[in-house]
Amino acid sequence: MDNNYKTNHTFKYLSYTPTVMEQWEYKLFHTKKDVISDFESGLQILKDKSFRAECLHRTLIAGGMAAFDKGIIDFLHKWNDMREPIFLLSEVAGEFKRYTADTVHFPYFCTPHLLSKEMVVRGMDLDKSEGAESLFSKSKYIREAVVNMNGRYGTLGKNYAVIWAYYAYNYINLLLDKLEPCRVILWNEFYAFHIIFKNLCIEKGIDVCFMEFGNIPGTFSVDNDGQQGESRIALRQCWGYNRAFDTGKIIYWIRQNRLNRNRQPTIQFGRADILGYREDKPVILYLGQDDYESCLYPYTWRTKRFHSPYFKSSDSAARMIERICQSNSWNFVYKLHPIMAQLGNTYELHRQTNGVVVNDVDLYSVIENADIVLTILSQGAYHALIQEKPVIMLGYNQLRNKGCIYQLKGGSWRKLEHLMKKALRKGFTDKQRKRFENHVAYLLGKYLYDDGLHDEMPYGKRLV
């Protein structure tokens, strides 16, 4: 693997390193009493908090964006100034609480440490609680949140997720009662804290919508309907935008500048990295998802209808693709989602497979070396189309029914193998290219917001 690629944009949040006291915050939790104390004290601080009148009846935006701020906070300042007054619930800990205080100039509040994004104490058994058990038994969405937590952090102790969900529920419920927001915007709806948040909003009659990095690098999306396969773009045709810009030129510029919503590793992938590489056979690339933030876990009727009708996990799809590659002697590359890799997810290739599992490599370089790209619902599909690679969707995202991909219709081996051979034979067709340009034109003209980080080639809706 080659290391000869430029580094990504340097963002301010990356310069924040924890102080001694902030490091200590991460190490405080040695006993079950420490854990419960953090939950209880966080709830008590919120109970005692008297929010000023100017904090009330705003749009409440919730998420851990301060820990990965790639233009998001500046965008929210513009939103606050030009669209609607907002209040931020910053779901961060340690140095990122300080970052929130330094950079956010509209009303905000930070969650307690153990309700912050990714802050859990693994291996910590907690005592049962009558209130927590009662809530768990009565509420379907609490049970879904608990399943999501236990799946994401496989080494949680006994009762930890149930107790966590109980305090998360009470914390969010109290916050909504105190702030009385006119609506709520959640950054990613599918992880446990926001599963609870969304459903509490629904119970209270509060409008809820969803924000994320956009499908096209360099943008943000705000959707009233849902995310990915439940988004407005996925569920409607969304054609007919009369473009006032050169979409092909924008796509070319993104490709040439290797834009990505995430900082990419400098390591470049090459075909020589494939174990047992067959030069006379195509390279089949499969892009995994973050299963725990893509509505794949738990697998519900919503997952089957809107997101992944045939596969319950990234690895289950990978196994079928690998077997098909084996039977055809094709080269197989499985690109793990970086979050899944961070959580400790691994995948073992069969010894007869000529292939490789990769994680810490530049996404563009992996796609460049592929003949076709498959995914259930990863936004990496857009990167593949930007690089003019044929894409097979095993599930649904905003590309559904847009005419620019090959859509799997049936979860059998034979149907998938047939579709893979078709994609290899036909490639990325002129019709798909035109339909993709039309799709991107609509996204940039009517749906996605410019993140403000690419002034040399502006695209997307502007708040100014």
Side-chain angles (χ1 to χ4, degrees):
M1 295 184 183
D2 180 22
N3 287 295
N4 294 326
Y5 189 62
K6 62 184 179 181
T7 57
N8 294 83
H9 193 288
T10 300
F11 296 102
K12 184 179 177 182
Y13 78 96
L14 293 168
S15 66
Y16 273 63
T17 55
T19 63
V20 172
M21 288 300 294
E22 289 163 348
Q23 290 177 26
W24 185 247
E25 179 186 334
Y26 291 105
K27 302 174 182 177
L28 284 174
F29 308 101
H30 302 291
T31 67
K32 65 180 72 175
K33 182 179 179 181
D34 296 334
V35 172
I36 298 301
S37 176
D38 186 76
F39 289 145
E40 288 283 356
S41 63
L43 196 57
Q44 189 61 50
I45 289 169
L46 180 58
K47 286 178 181 177
D48 295 341
K49 176 71 175 177
S50 295
F51 291 103
R52 302 187 307 274
E54 66 190 60
C55 297
L56 309 181
H57 311 297
R58 290 177 170 241
T59 289
L60 170 59
I61 298 182
M65 298 86 81
F68 51 88
D69 178 21
K70 289 159 260 190
I72 308 166
I73 300 300
D74 284 345
F75 178 83
L76 292 181
H77 279 109
K78 293 176 184 176
W79 191 279
N80 179 71
D81 294 341
M82 302 174 189
R83 288 295 175 89
E84 58 188 337
I86 61 178
F87 184 104
L88 174 65
L89 178 66
S90 190
E91 300 165 8
V92 296
E95 67 273 27
F96 298 113
K97 288 183 179 179
R98 176 163 47 94
Y99 181 85
T100 301
D102 290 348
T103 59
V104 175
H105 306 307
F106 48 82
Y108 71 89
F109 199 66
C110 293
T111 52
H113 185 92
L114 291 180
L115 293 183
S116 300
K117 187 79 161 49
E118 308 294 3
M119 294 297 112
V120 297
V121 183
R122 297 175 186 264
M124 178 67 71
D125 293 339
L126 298 179
D127 295 333
K128 283 187 176 182
S129 155
E130 185 176 338
E133 291 293 326
S134 176
L135 180 64
F136 178 80
S137 64
K138 291 177 182 178
S139 173
K140 181 179 179 181
Y141 66 81
I142 291 294
R143 293 194 294 275
E144 288 184 2
V146 168
V147 171
N148 182 277
M149 280 283 287
N150 280 324
R152 186 177 184 89
Y153 310 104
T155 56
L156 291 182
K158 188 176 180 181
N159 301 318
Y160 188 100
V162 174
I163 299 297
W164 176 93
Y166 173 74
Y167 281 101
Y169 173 90
N170 283 292
Y171 188 89
I172 297 165
N173 191 40
L174 178 61
L175 183 74
L176 292 174
D177 287 346
K178 278 180 164 283
L179 292 178
E180 299 180 347
C182 59
R183 69 167 177 157
V184 168
I185 300 176
L186 300 177
W187 183 281
N188 190 305
E189 69 167 299
F190 295 122
Y191 82 97
F193 194 71
H194 285 180
I195 292 173
I196 298 171
F197 216 131
K198 172 189 171 181
N199 283 279
L200 267 170
C201 288
I202 292 171
E203 289 179 356
K204 293 175 177 289
I206 301 170
D207 288 340
V208 59
C209 57
F210 312 97
M211 185 176 180
E212 252 287 4
F213 293 113
N215 326 80
I216 305 302
T219 64
F220 300 126
S221 68
V222 180
D223 197 301
N224 294 329
D225 293 349
Q227 287 189 252
Q228 299 171 165
E230 295 179 71
S231 66
R232 173 168 64 88
I233 298 298
L235 298 177
R236 304 174 195 174
Q237 284 298 328
C238 300
W239 296 116
Y241 180 66
N242 183 19
R243 28 174 146 161
F245 45 82
D246 187 338
T247 309
K249 183 178 180 181
I250 293 171
I251 293 172
Y252 176 80
W253 184 87
I254 293 172
R255 181 168 64 244
Q256 291 299 108
N257 287 273
R258 303 170 80 90
L259 233 61
N260 192 297
R261 69 186 189 180
N262 295 317
R263 288 173 58 86
Q264 290 299 293
T266 57
I267 298 174
Q268 301 297 289
F269 177 84
R271 293 194 173 198
D273 297 310
I274 300 173
L275 301 177
Y277 172 62
R278 288 279 302 270
E279 189 174 351
D280 60 328
K281 298 294 182 178
V283 175
I284 311 300
L285 170 61
Y286 170 61
L287 301 175
Q289 295 62 224
D290 179 352
D291 291 4
Y292 305 109
E293 294 192 13
S294 300
C295 201
L296 288 176
Y297 203 90
Y299 189 88
T300 67
W301 69 268
R302 284 178 63 210
T303 315
K304 189 174 183 65
R305 180 176 177 184
F306 296 110
H307 302 280
S308 181
Y310 312 119
F311 299 101
K312 294 185 177 182
S313 69
S314 293
D315 286 357
S316 64
R319 193 60 68 191
M320 180 181 287
I321 297 166
E322 183 191 356
R323 291 201 303 267
I324 293 171
C325 288
Q326 277 181 20
S327 68
N328 291 276
S329 299
W330 295 337
N331 301 290
F332 175 59
V333 179
Y334 180 6
K335 172 70 169 67
L336 294 173
H337 190 284
I339 298 298
M340 295 295 284
Q342 289 173 24
L343 291 170
N345 186 61
T346 59
Y347 181 93
E348 294 294 328
L349 290 174
H350 191 278
R351 59 185 176 82
Q352 294 180 348
T353 302
N354 40 303
V356 66
V357 179
V358 296
N359 168 40
D360 197 21
V361 296
D362 173 63
L363 178 62
Y364 272 88
S365 69
V366 182
I367 294 173
E368 282 169 351
N369 284 281
D371 291 288
I372 61 172
V373 179
L374 299 91
T375 187
I376 298 176
L377 49 78
S378 170
Q379 296 298 323
Y382 279 87
H383 284 282
L385 293 172
I386 286 168
Q387 292 182 247
E388 301 186 332
K389 299 291 183 177
V391 171
I392 295 176
M393 294 298 299
L394 311 176
Y396 310 124
N397 62 12
Q398 292 87 340
L399 290 166
R400 187 176 187 177
N401 295 326
K402 300 304 182 292
C404 44
I405 51 92
Y406 298 90
Q407 182 69 56
L408 180 64
K409 298 178 180 179
S412 71
W413 165 312
R414 292 304 173 196
K415 286 189 176 182
L416 179 53
E417 182 181 41
H418 174 76
L419 192 59
M420 291 168 72
K421 289 180 177 179
K422 180 180 178 181
L424 285 168
R425 184 176 68 254
K426 298 184 71 173
F428 186 52
T429 67
D430 289 340
K431 182 178 180 181
Q432 288 176 333
R433 181 180 291 103
K434 290 175 183 177
R435 295 295 291 268
F436 182 57
E437 287 189 8
N438 288 337
H439 175 54
V440 172
Y442 185 91
L443 291 175
L444 298 181
K446 292 289 187 178
Y447 183 66
L448 299 175
Y449 291 91
D450 191 324
D451 68 5
L453 298 178
H454 45 90
D455 291 338
E456 65 273 35
M457 177 61 77
Y459 53 82
K461 297 196 295 181
R462 293 240 172 171
L463 292 174
V464 292

